[in-house]
Amino acid sequence: MNKQFGVVLGLFLVAVVGRAANYKAQKVAIDGADVVRLTDTARGVVVSILPGSGNRAYELTVRGKQVLARPGGIPLLAPWANRLDQNAFWANGKKYLLNPDLQTVHYDNNHLPIHGLLDKAVWSVTSYKVYDQWSEATSQLEFWRHREWMAQFPFADTL
């Protein structure tokens, strides 16, 4: 290897490895709970996600400052987001009634269904990856395995 090529290769490796070192995707335990933590050290951004509590992003800090409202965070709103206009929904031309007796539906102050069914669902983290420009964690929920959710939303999904 000639010296000039070695210097160029060395600079390339420092640039790529240095960038990749800026990002982390890891599982940590906090107060006995599994937490997914994604970190961008160059920008001072850290997001923490609770797979065991609806895959909720509960903490987001930028340069050490918390930017999410507590205690809520950002839940995954599924199988619907926001509010339904009645205690039912339409799919494929058919009306599906929600069953409030199952206690899986959350209601707003006007007693309209809000934010889906999965705010406390336990998700499985299937992978952690780190790239040059970002890090990621992938989670999965087999909706169809839960009779109480299928009774409200009878579509055999894997999210």
Side-chain angles (χ1 to χ4, degrees):
M1 173 182 349
N2 71 33
K3 188 174 182 177
Q4 186 176 15
F5 178 73
V7 169
V8 170
L9 179 61
L11 289 174
F12 173 76
L13 288 173
V14 167
V16 171
V17 172
R19 274 194 309 218
N22 287 334
Y23 302 97
K24 295 178 189 170
Q26 61 194 136
K27 175 183 168 184
V28 297
I30 298 177
D31 296 330
D34 288 338
V35 173
V36 170
R37 181 158 290 152
L38 303 174
T39 305
D40 176 346
T41 57
R43 292 172 186 82
V45 177
V46 179
V47 63
S48 298
I49 302 163
L50 287 167
S53 184
N55 220 29
R56 176 183 312 269
Y58 76 94
E59 183 177 70
L60 175 62
T61 60
V62 178
R63 294 180 188 88
K65 182 180 177 187
Q66 176 63 258
V67 296
L68 283 181
R70 289 221 170 150
I74 303 171
L76 180 75
L77 307 178
W80 67 84
N82 210 341
R83 289 164 185 81
L84 298 178
D85 62 356
Q86 58 185 307
N87 209 29
F89 63 91
W90 288 86
N92 300 323
K94 181 178 176 187
K95 186 176 185 176
Y96 293 87
L97 298 176
L98 296 173
N99 182 348
D101 294 336
L102 293 177
Q103 299 181 3
T104 55
V105 177
H106 305 283
Y107 294 94
D108 69 6
N109 293 336
N110 296 313
H111 201 68
L112 292 173
I114 187 169
H115 299 331
L117 306 170
L118 306 179
D119 70 323
K120 302 233 183 332
V122 177
W123 290 68
S124 299
V125 180
T126 58
S127 70
Y128 298 90
K129 295 181 182 174
V130 177
Y131 301 95
D132 286 347
Q133 301 289 322
W134 73 89
S135 59
E136 69 182 31
T138 302
S139 299
Q140 177 176 297
L141 178 70
E142 293 175 323
F143 187 92
W144 56 272
R145 290 188 182 268
H146 300 269
R147 289 186 354 213
E148 69 278 16
W149 298 335
M150 289 295 294
Q152 301 288 31
F153 193 81
F155 303 99
D157 291 334
T158 297
L159 307 172

